[in-house]
Coordinates of all heavy atoms in Angstrom, one line a residue:
Chain B
Y87 N -26.6 -42.4 23.4 CA -27.9 -42.7 23.9 C -28.5 -44.0 23.4 O -29.2 -44.7 24.1 CB -28.9 -41.6 23.7 CG -28.8 -40.9 22.4 CD1 -29.3 -41.5 21.2 CD2 -28.2 -39.7 22.2 CE1 -29.1 -40.9 20.0 CE2 -28.0 -39.0 21.0 CZ -28.5 -39.7 19.9 OH -28.4 -39.1 18.7
N88 N -28.3 -44.4 22.1 CA -28.9 -45.6 21.6 C -28.4 -46.8 22.4 O -29.2 -47.7 22.8 CB -28.7 -45.7 20.1 CG -29.5 -44.7 19.3 OD1 -30.5 -44.3 19.8 ND2 -29.0 -44.3 18.2
G89 N -27.1 -46.9 22.6 CA -26.6 -48.0 23.3 C -27.0 -48.0 24.7 O -27.4 -49.1 25.3
Q90 N -27.1 -46.8 25.4 CA -27.5 -46.8 26.8 C -28.9 -47.2 26.9 O -29.2 -47.9 27.9 CB -27.3 -45.3 27.3 CG -25.8 -44.9 27.4 CD -25.5 -43.5 27.2 OE1 -26.5 -42.7 27.2 NE2 -24.3 -43.1 27.1
Y91 N -29.7 -46.8 26.0 CA -31.2 -47.2 26.1 C -31.3 -48.7 26.0 O -32.0 -49.3 26.8 CB -31.9 -46.5 24.9 CG -33.3 -46.9 24.8 CD1 -34.4 -46.3 25.5 CD2 -33.6 -48.0 24.0 CE1 -35.7 -46.8 25.4 CE2 -34.9 -48.5 23.9 CZ -36.0 -47.9 24.5 OH -37.2 -48.3 24.4
L92 N -30.6 -49.3 25.0 CA -30.7 -50.7 24.8 C -30.2 -51.5 26.0 O -30.7 -52.6 26.3 CB -30.0 -51.1 23.5 CG -30.7 -50.6 22.2 CD1 -29.9 -51.1 21.0 CD2 -32.2 -51.2 22.2
L93 N -29.1 -51.0 26.6 CA -28.6 -51.7 27.7 C -29.6 -51.7 28.8 O -29.8 -52.8 29.5 CB -27.3 -51.0 28.2 CG -26.0 -51.2 27.5 CD1 -24.9 -50.4 28.1 CD2 -25.6 -52.7 27.6
G94 N -30.2 -50.6 29.1 CA -31.3 -50.5 30.1 C -32.4 -51.5 29.8 O -32.9 -52.2 30.6
A95 N -32.8 -51.5 28.5 CA -33.9 -52.4 28.1 C -33.5 -53.8 28.3 O -34.4 -54.6 28.8 CB -34.2 -52.1 26.6
V96 N -32.3 -54.2 28.0 CA -31.9 -55.6 28.1 C -31.8 -56.1 29.5 O -32.0 -57.3 29.8 CB -30.7 -55.9 27.2 CG1 -29.4 -55.8 28.1 CG2 -30.7 -57.3 26.7
V97 N -31.5 -55.2 30.4 CA -31.5 -55.5 31.8 C -32.9 -56.0 32.2 O -33.1 -57.0 32.9 CB -31.1 -54.3 32.7 CG1 -31.4 -54.6 34.2 CG2 -29.6 -54.1 32.5
A98 N -33.9 -55.2 31.7 CA -35.3 -55.6 32.0 C -35.8 -56.9 31.3 O -36.3 -57.8 31.9 CB -36.2 -54.4 31.7
S99 N -35.5 -56.9 30.0 CA -36.0 -58.0 29.2 C -35.2 -59.3 29.4 O -35.8 -60.4 29.3 CB -36.0 -57.7 27.7 OG -34.6 -57.5 27.3
G100 N -33.9 -59.2 29.7 CA -33.1 -60.4 29.8 C -33.1 -60.9 31.3 O -33.3 -62.1 31.5
V101 N -32.8 -60.0 32.2 CA -32.8 -60.5 33.6 C -34.1 -60.6 34.2 O -34.4 -61.4 35.1 CB -31.9 -59.5 34.4 CG1 -31.6 -60.0 35.8 CG2 -30.5 -59.3 33.7
G102 N -35.1 -59.7 33.7 CA -36.4 -59.6 34.3 C -37.1 -61.0 34.5 O -37.5 -61.3 35.6
P103 N -37.2 -61.8 33.4 CA -37.9 -63.1 33.6 C -37.4 -63.9 34.7 O -38.2 -64.5 35.5 CB -37.6 -63.8 32.2 CG -37.4 -62.7 31.3 CD -36.8 -61.6 32.0
Y104 N -36.1 -63.9 34.9 CA -35.5 -64.7 36.1 C -35.9 -64.1 37.4 O -36.3 -64.8 38.3 CB -34.0 -64.7 36.0 CG -33.5 -65.4 34.7 CD1 -33.0 -64.6 33.7 CD2 -33.5 -66.8 34.6 CE1 -32.5 -65.2 32.5 CE2 -33.0 -67.4 33.4 CZ -32.5 -66.6 32.4 OH -32.1 -67.2 31.3
L105 N -35.8 -62.8 37.5 CA -36.1 -62.1 38.7 C -37.6 -62.2 39.1 O -38.0 -62.6 40.2 CB -35.8 -60.6 38.6 CG -34.3 -60.3 38.7 CD1 -34.1 -58.8 38.5 CD2 -33.7 -60.7 40.0
F106 N -38.5 -62.1 38.1 CA -39.9 -62.2 38.3 C -40.3 -63.6 38.8 O -41.2 -63.7 39.6 CB -40.7 -61.8 37.1 CG -40.8 -60.3 36.9 CD1 -40.2 -59.7 35.8 CD2 -41.4 -59.5 37.8 CE1 -40.3 -58.3 35.6 CE2 -41.4 -58.1 37.7 CZ -40.9 -57.5 36.5
A107 N -39.5 -64.5 38.3 CA -39.8 -65.9 38.7 C -39.4 -66.1 40.2 O -40.1 -67.0 40.8 CB -39.0 -66.9 37.8
A108 N -38.5 -65.4 40.7 CA -37.9 -65.7 42.0 C -38.4 -64.8 43.1 O -38.5 -65.1 44.2 CB -36.4 -65.7 42.0
L109 N -38.8 -63.5 42.7 CA -39.1 -62.5 43.7 C -40.5 -61.9 43.5 O -41.1 -62.1 42.4 CB -38.1 -61.4 43.5 CG -36.6 -61.7 43.8 CD1 -35.7 -60.5 43.3 CD2 -36.4 -62.0 45.3
P110 N -41.0 -61.3 44.5 CA -42.3 -60.5 44.3 C -42.1 -59.5 43.2 O -41.0 -58.9 43.1 CB -42.6 -59.9 45.7 CG -41.3 -60.1 46.5 CD -40.5 -61.2 45.9
A111 N -43.1 -59.2 42.5 CA -43.0 -58.3 41.3 C -42.4 -57.0 41.7 O -41.6 -56.4 41.0 CB -44.4 -58.2 40.7
W112 N -42.9 -56.4 42.8 CA -42.4 -55.0 43.1 C -41.0 -55.0 43.4 O -40.2 -54.1 42.9 CB -43.2 -54.4 44.3 CG -42.9 -55.2 45.6 CD1 -43.6 -56.2 46.1 CD2 -41.9 -54.9 46.5 NE1 -43.1 -56.6 47.3 CE2 -42.0 -55.8 47.6 CE3 -40.9 -53.9 46.6 CZ2 -41.2 -55.8 48.7 CZ3 -40.0 -53.9 47.7 CH2 -40.2 -54.9 48.7
L113 N -40.5 -56.0 44.0 CA -39.0 -56.0 44.3 C -38.2 -56.3 43.1 O -37.2 -55.6 42.8 CB -38.7 -57.1 45.4 CG -37.3 -57.2 45.9 CD1 -36.9 -55.9 46.5 CD2 -37.1 -58.4 46.9
A114 N -38.7 -57.2 42.2 CA -38.0 -57.4 41.0 C -38.0 -56.2 40.1 O -36.9 -55.8 39.6 CB -38.7 -58.6 40.2
T115 N -39.1 -55.5 40.1 CA -39.1 -54.2 39.3 C -38.1 -53.2 39.8 O -37.3 -52.6 39.1 CB -40.5 -53.6 39.4 OG1 -41.5 -54.6 39.1 CG2 -40.7 -52.4 38.5
L116 N -38.1 -53.1 41.1 CA -37.1 -52.1 41.7 C -35.7 -52.5 41.4 O -34.9 -51.7 41.0 CB -37.3 -52.2 43.3 CG -36.7 -51.0 44.0 CD1 -37.5 -49.7 43.6 CD2 -36.7 -51.2 45.5
I117 N -35.4 -53.8 41.5 CA -34.0 -54.2 41.2 C -33.7 -54.0 39.8 O -32.6 -53.6 39.4 CB -33.9 -55.8 41.6 CG1 -34.0 -55.9 43.1 CG2 -32.5 -56.3 41.1 CD1 -33.9 -57.4 43.5
I118 N -34.7 -54.2 38.9 CA -34.4 -54.0 37.5 C -34.1 -52.5 37.2 O -33.2 -52.2 36.5 CB -35.7 -54.4 36.6 CG1 -35.7 -56.0 36.6 CG2 -35.6 -53.9 35.2 CD1 -37.0 -56.5 36.1

Side-chain angles (χ1 to χ4, degrees):
Chain B
Y87 40 74
N88 288 333
Q90 292 152 9
Y91 172 90
L92 290 179
L93 280 176
V96 89
V97 168
S99 66
V101 186
Y104 299 102
L105 286 175
F106 283 116
L109 297 168
W112 66 269
L113 185 59
T115 307
L116 195 69
I117 293 176
I118 288 169

